[in-house]
Amino acid sequence: MALFQYFPNYVWNLSLAIALESGARIGEIVDMCQPIRDAANNGTDAGTAEFLAEWVKMADKLIGLADEDEAKGRTLSAGTKLQRAALYLFTAERMQGHGHPGRGETFAKARAAFEKGTAFARENCERVEIPIDGGVMPALYTRAPGHGPKPVVVYCNGLDSCKELLFWSRLPHALAARGISTLCVDQPGTGETLRLQGLPAMPESEHWASKAVDWLEARAEIDPKRIGMTGISLGGHYAPRAVAFEPRFASGAVWGANHNWAEVQQKRLRREGENPVPHYWAHVRWVFGASDMDDFFRRAEGMTLNGVMDRIKVPFLVTHGAEDRQISVDYAHQSYDQLTNSPRRELRIFTAREGGVEHVGADNMSFGRDYIADWFADTLGGHTG
């Protein structure tokens, strides 16, 4: 497999790979991971406290170095260090179980480092808040350059990501280079919306996605006729569902198909396929606001796209890694085959020839990123050269 396999289990390696694809430095990775390598031998759940301690230690060092840069007026240098600190903190927090000691504090520190770091680095990244039922949906808004109304893509999380990781996937950067803006959202069940407001995930993603469209339509720099949507991992359920039920979307794509996540849960009970995070069953109960396992499975019943994909009447792209160890490539074919009313449908399976074969291209995100960005440039009126 192309995934960097430093640890003896997939779940820890996945977090490591995502960090590397998001901007981590290999020397810092080695310094953080070497002391905890043996701890990973005890399974995916044991040892996550040690993971947190080492990654927070590195982040604290970077924050201290950034403070020294700032004292000298070198805020650009401080910004790059603070963004890496935030990445390490978000990664460490993601590895912890719900309610584990230090998780809330780490998330707060990560948010602070990200906000300061992106401001110092002059990133094309504006924090906004979109009203939704029961609260607000925090988002990161990246603007396409130039004058006049621009196309835009709403970009949503999977099961265990956050809007900052969406930004670091560099899809917003790739879209901006093609003349398209991006709105990375912490939808219900993810990021701040879950952690700070307690708003759980729901199968009916059109409820919050429509609120994002409302917000975008009110902005003069956005062309309301050229709004697309994509999602990563479990976003492979949320994005198609939203495009199917919200007619204002003009194009859609998924970075990893997730056609029948309800069925995947039954497979995970039988230990078929890999989990995305440690403490998995406690995590999904928290995400969906379930009181116990029976309640979770009742809530997850609607997480299927059977009977949904044929409602999509705009161009739609399905991408998937050929060697995805979490979600079978068969689900990508199911989603594509059911796009019977899309005027332009496409299926792109990433193979060993180019890379991006693992779940959401964790081994190499560049191919999925560029392919999806080109798709939206073609279907929303951006440019590819």
Side-chain angles (χ1 to χ4, degrees), residues 62-194:
L62 288 168
I63 291 170
L65 292 169
D67 289 342
E68 295 174 13
D69 285 337
E70 183 182 3
K72 297 175 182 176
R74 298 171 178 172
T75 52
L76 288 172
S77 294
T80 61
K81 294 179 179 68
L82 286 168
Q83 288 184 87
R84 288 207 310 283
L87 171 60
Y88 299 153
L89 291 165
F90 280 123
T91 302
E93 188 269 350
R94 177 183 172 276
M95 288 282 286
Q96 308 307 302
H98 176 46
H100 279 205
R103 186 166 195 179
E105 176 188 351
T106 304
F107 189 71
K109 187 186 292 187
R111 289 178 57 224
F114 181 87
E115 182 175 354
K116 190 173 183 179
T118 51
F120 277 179
R122 301 178 184 174
E123 293 276 11
N124 181 3
C125 179
E126 176 189 355
R127 178 191 166 87
V128 300
E129 292 186 346
I130 298 164
I132 58 173
D133 294 341
V136 296
M137 182 166 61
L140 299 175
Y141 183 38
T142 298
R143 298 175 186 240
H147 302 289
K150 302 292 183 180
V152 64
V153 172
V154 179
Y155 183 18
C156 73
N157 289 311
L159 175 71
D160 52 291
S161 53
C162 59
K163 63 188 180 303
E164 292 82 6
L165 287 172
L166 296 182
F167 180 74
W168 284 321
S169 75
R170 300 297 188 268
L171 180 59
H173 304 70
L175 287 168
R178 291 160 173 81
I180 302 171
S181 298
T182 308
L183 187 71
C184 300
V185 300
D186 270 347
Q187 78 266 17
T190 68
E192 292 181 48
T193 310
L194 174 66

Side-chain angles (χ1 to χ4, degrees), residues 2 9 22 60 89 91 107 118 145 195 198 200-201 260 267 273 275 286 314 317:
N9 68 71
S22 301
D60 286 342
L89 291 165
T91 302
F107 189 71
T118 51
R195 288 160 175 79
N260 195 337
K267 293 180 178 180
N275 291 340
W286 173 44
V314 297
L317 167 69

Side-chain angles (χ1 to χ4, degrees), residues 247-277:
R248 291 175 292 176
F249 283 118
S251 178
V254 294
W255 199 342
N258 227 315
H259 187 82
N260 195 337
W261 194 74
E263 183 177 81
V264 170
Q265 302 321 293
Q266 299 300 324
K267 293 180 178 180
R268 284 177 174 164
L269 275 179
R270 301 191 296 268
R271 297 187 177 181
E272 297 176 15
E274 297 283 1
N275 291 340
V277 288

